[in-house]
């Protein structure tokens, strides 16, 4: 019974809280929309990390192009 | 080691020339345990293993000026398997001394674990935002996750499907690559061409003259990629060579919480390839093919997922092999830069199925197994 409650609690918390992570696909879309360019593959980690850790309202600089911080 | 020294020299030049070095870290820390039916490279079924499934890495980047930059990825892998090193009891070999792939034993892991190596390191010239040319060590562009295949935090699965990606015997090459992209309305079209010499970890083969082209189209939440490449494979011990032609096709969808990735890979020897009379007139590699599909659905911080892989390998000097895996997994975003992943994998092998750089099965009479993995991918 305890296990069921624990699993249910985790599931509800997980469902209720939106993911904070930004996927490479999300990052590519954000940069394409803002800068009309692709993210070089070797820079993907850096861009995803910047877009993940930025605050709402900020712009993230991607090689000189400002990309609005996505809503998270 | 020379490459790492070169990497740091280039980055020091870049740092002195303009800005500081940008460093982005990543890592994967996993425990894995196989069922008793699986015999693996350093992968005991008696207790969970950590090193074979874990790594930490750094992406380094520095701009030299407006057009030139240098970048590198350094990875300290938990366990390194030197296929030229002594094995516990020796591989089964053919009558002419060529490893057949049969599993009498496995290579011993390098005892010096977590040794750093450079996965890629190159000088990049990018005079405009839609054109770039690279020179140095470059990751094999054949795959849809080529640029970040070691960065687990950017992947929907725990790691790229090793049995499928292992159909290509190398993950990087020393050479050059040019990329040009275009905005085509529905998305961004990227064309690429490359050439060079693959970097191999196995000592018995030589692969040279690797050339390829790719075409990719990325839209909002989706992408497709086609590649065509060729390479010359040689086995000096038998004085035999093959011209291999490889095609691959990939797609990914990550939209409205639905996640789906798939890739297919097909290699066939050119008909003019050398034949080996001592082995009945076979070529070094007749044909290898395989693919996978992953499906998942994001529910808040959870991503339950399922991955199916299928591979077939008809290597002329070894027995034909086939294999399938089913992996049920769950991702949970514990923080913005860390994700917990849990995998249960079932492996069904026919003949002498082998999973490169991962698990190997005991043999044709006892060839099904399972494994469970749990751990974290993170960035810093």
């Amino acid at each position: 019974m305890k296990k069921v409650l624990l699993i249910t609690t985790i599931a509800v918390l997980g469902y209720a809280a939106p993911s904070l992570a930004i996927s490479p696909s999300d990052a590519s879309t954000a940069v394409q929309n803002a800068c009309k360019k692709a993210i070089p593959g070797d820079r993907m980690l850096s861009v995803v990390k910047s877009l993940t850790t930025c605050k709402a309202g900020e712009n993230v600089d991607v090689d000189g192009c400002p990309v609005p911080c996505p809503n998270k | 080691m020379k490459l790492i020294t070169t990497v740091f020299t280039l980055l020091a030049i870049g740092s002195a020339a303009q800005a500081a070095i940008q460093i982005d870290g990543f890592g994967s820390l996993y425990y894995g345990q196989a069922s008793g039916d699986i015999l693996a490279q350093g992968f005991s079924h008696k207790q969970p293993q950590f090193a074979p499934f874990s790594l930490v890495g750094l992406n380094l980047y520095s701009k030299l000026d407006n057009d030139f930059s240098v970048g590198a990825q350094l990875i300290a892998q938990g366990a390194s398997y030197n296929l030229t090193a002594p094995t516990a009891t020796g591989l089964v070999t053919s009558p002419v001394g060529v490893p057949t792939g049969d599993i009498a034993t496995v290579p011993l892991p390098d005892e010096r674990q977590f040794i750093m190596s450079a996965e890629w390191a190159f000088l990049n010239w990018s005079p405009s935002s839609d054109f770039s040319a690279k020179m140095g060590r470059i990751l094999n562009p054949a795959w849809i996750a080529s640029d970040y295949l070691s960065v687990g935090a950017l992947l929907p699965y725990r790691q790229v499907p090793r049995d499928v990606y292992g159909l290509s015997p190398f993950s990087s090459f020393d050479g050059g690559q040019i990329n040009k992209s275009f905005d085509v309305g529905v998305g961004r079209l990227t064309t690429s061409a490359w050439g060079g010499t693959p970097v191999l970890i196995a000592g018995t083969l030589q692969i040279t003259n690797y050339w390829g082209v790719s075409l990719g189209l990325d839209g909002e939440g989706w992408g497709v990629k086609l590649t065509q490449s060729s390479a010359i494979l040689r086995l000096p011990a038998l004085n035999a060579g093959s011209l291999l032609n490889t095609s691959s096709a990939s797609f990914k969808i990550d939209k409205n919480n639905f996640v789906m990735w798939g890739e297919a890979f097909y290699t066939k020897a050119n008909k003019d390839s050398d034949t080996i009379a001592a082995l009945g007139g076979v070529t070094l590699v007749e044909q290898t093919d395989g693919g996978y599909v992953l499906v998942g659905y994001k529910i808040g911080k959870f991503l339950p997922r399922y991955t199916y892989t299928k591979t077939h390998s008809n290597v002329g000097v070894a027995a034909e092999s086939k294999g399938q895996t089913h992996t049920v997994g769950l991702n949970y975003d514990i923080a913005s830069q860390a994700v917990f992943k849990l995998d249960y994998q079932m492996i069904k092998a026919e003949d002498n199925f082998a999973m490169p750089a991962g698990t190997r099965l005991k043999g044709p009479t006892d060839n099904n197994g399972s494994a469970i993995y749990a751990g974290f991918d993170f960035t810093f």
Side-chain angles (χ1 to χ4, degrees):
Chain A
M1 189 62 191
K2 283 182 181 175
K3 284 182 182 175
V4 174
L5 283 173
L6 181 63
I7 291 168
T8 305
T9 304
I10 291 172
V12 169
L13 288 174
Y15 185 77
S19 172
L20 298 173
I22 300 292
S23 71
S25 185
D26 297 334
S28 295
T29 299
V31 172
Q32 171 66 17
N33 288 342
C35 310
K36 299 295 178 201
K37 67 179 183 181
I39 303 171
D42 54 292
R43 307 272 292 129
M44 183 62 82
L45 172 61
S46 177
V47 174
V48 167
K49 207 175 89 173
S50 297
L51 291 174
T52 298
T53 54
C54 63
K55 293 175 183 171
E58 287 181 351
N59 281 333
V60 171
D61 181 87
V62 178
D63 293 334
C65 176
V67 178
C69 185
N71 292 325
K72 290 169 280 189
Chain B
M1 194 63 200
K2 283 181 183 174
L3 183 59
I4 292 176
T5 306
T6 306
V7 166
F8 279 109
T9 304
L10 284 170
L11 288 163
I13 293 169
S15 178
Q18 199 179 46
I21 299 172
Q22 184 176 337
I23 301 175
D24 297 292
F26 60 93
S28 296
L29 302 175
Y30 282 94
Y31 273 94
Q33 182 164 5
S35 69
D37 293 335
I38 295 180
L39 177 67
Q41 295 176 347
F43 188 5
S44 165
H45 63 267
K46 295 179 180 174
Q47 59 183 9
Q49 298 289 296
F50 172 71
F53 317 109
S54 301
L55 62 84
V56 289
L58 296 174
N59 279 6
L60 310 175
Y61 173 81
S62 184
K63 282 184 82 76
L64 300 177
D65 64 16
N66 285 339
D67 294 346
F68 287 92
S69 61
V70 288
Q73 183 178 74
L74 304 179
I75 291 182
Q77 186 84 37
S80 301
Y81 295 96
N82 181 354
L83 299 182
T84 62
T87 58
T89 55
L91 287 169
V92 174
T93 58
S94 72
V96 292
V98 179
T100 64
D102 289 354
I103 309 303
T105 186
V106 293
L108 293 172
D110 190 328
E111 293 299 325
R112 301 163 297 167
Q113 294 178 342
F114 287 100
I115 294 175
M116 186 171 280
S117 64
E119 291 296 296
W120 44 258
F122 53 74
L123 176 69
N124 187 52
W125 176 55
S126 185
S128 65
S129 64
D130 57 5
F131 177 83
S132 68
K134 297 176 185 175
M135 189 185 75
R137 178 160 295 181
I138 299 165
L139 286 171
N140 183 3
W143 309 104
I144 204 162
S146 289
D147 290 310
Y148 41 91
L149 59 84
S150 298
V151 187
L154 300 185
L155 300 170
Y157 22 56
R158 180 182 59 84
Q159 63 172 192
V160 294
R162 288 286 181 191
D163 49 340
V164 179
Y165 275 50
L167 293 173
S168 171
F170 58 91
S171 60
S172 58
F173 67 97
D174 293 339
Q177 180 183 19
I178 55 172
N179 302 291
K180 171 73 177 169
S181 67
F182 310 86
D183 197 343
V184 291
V186 294
R188 179 153 286 273
L189 182 71
T190 303
T191 58
S192 180
W194 62 88
T197 303
V199 180
L200 296 175
I201 56 169
T204 54
L205 292 174
Q206 292 177 352
I207 303 181
T208 57
N209 296 62
Y210 179 51
W211 297 95
V213 291
S214 72
L215 194 62
L217 181 62
D218 291 283
E220 285 199 16
W222 60 272
V224 293
K225 185 177 181 180
L226 300 171
T227 70
Q228 179 69 39
S229 63
S230 68
I232 294 175
L233 173 72
R234 290 199 62 78
L235 188 58
L238 292 176
N239 194 28
S242 286
L243 173 62
L244 303 179
N245 295 308
T246 299
S247 305
S248 62
S250 324
F251 74 91
K252 60 180 176 183
I253 300 168
D254 185 351
K255 195 164 189 174
N256 299 330
N257 296 320
F258 179 67
V259 179
M260 187 172 186
W261 285 37
E263 300 191 67
F265 184 87
Y266 177 83
T267 293
K268 190 164 180 62
N270 186 288
K271 60 183 179 183
D272 297 328
S273 299
D274 295 338
T275 56
I276 305 168
L279 295 177
V282 298
T283 58
L284 278 180
V285 173
E286 299 280 346
Q287 178 183 323
T288 60
D289 54 85
Y292 76 88
V293 63
L294 169 145
V295 290
Y297 190 81
K298 293 176 185 171
I299 306 168
K301 293 182 177 182
F302 289 100
L303 172 63
R305 58 190 157 77
Y306 165 75
T307 307
Y308 171 71
T309 73
K310 187 173 185 179
T311 55
H312 163 245
S313 179
N314 185 4
V315 180
V317 294
E320 187 173 5
S321 66
K322 295 177 182 175
Q324 296 176 47
T325 69
H326 301 268
T327 305
V328 179
L330 181 68
N331 300 359
Y332 176 67
D333 295 331
I334 56 174
S336 61
Q337 291 181 256
V339 56
F340 169 80
K341 293 180 183 174
L342 176 68
D343 272 8
Y344 177 71
Q345 185 174 62
M346 291 165 284
I347 303 165
K348 179 176 173 55
E350 297 171 33
D351 305 321
N352 297 299
F353 175 64
M355 297 181 72
T359 56
R360 280 176 180 267
L361 305 181
K362 277 181 177 174
T365 59
D366 186 11
N367 52 12
N368 295 324
S370 62
I372 189 165
Y373 306 86
F376 301 91
D377 291 317
F378 56 91
T379 62
F380 58 94

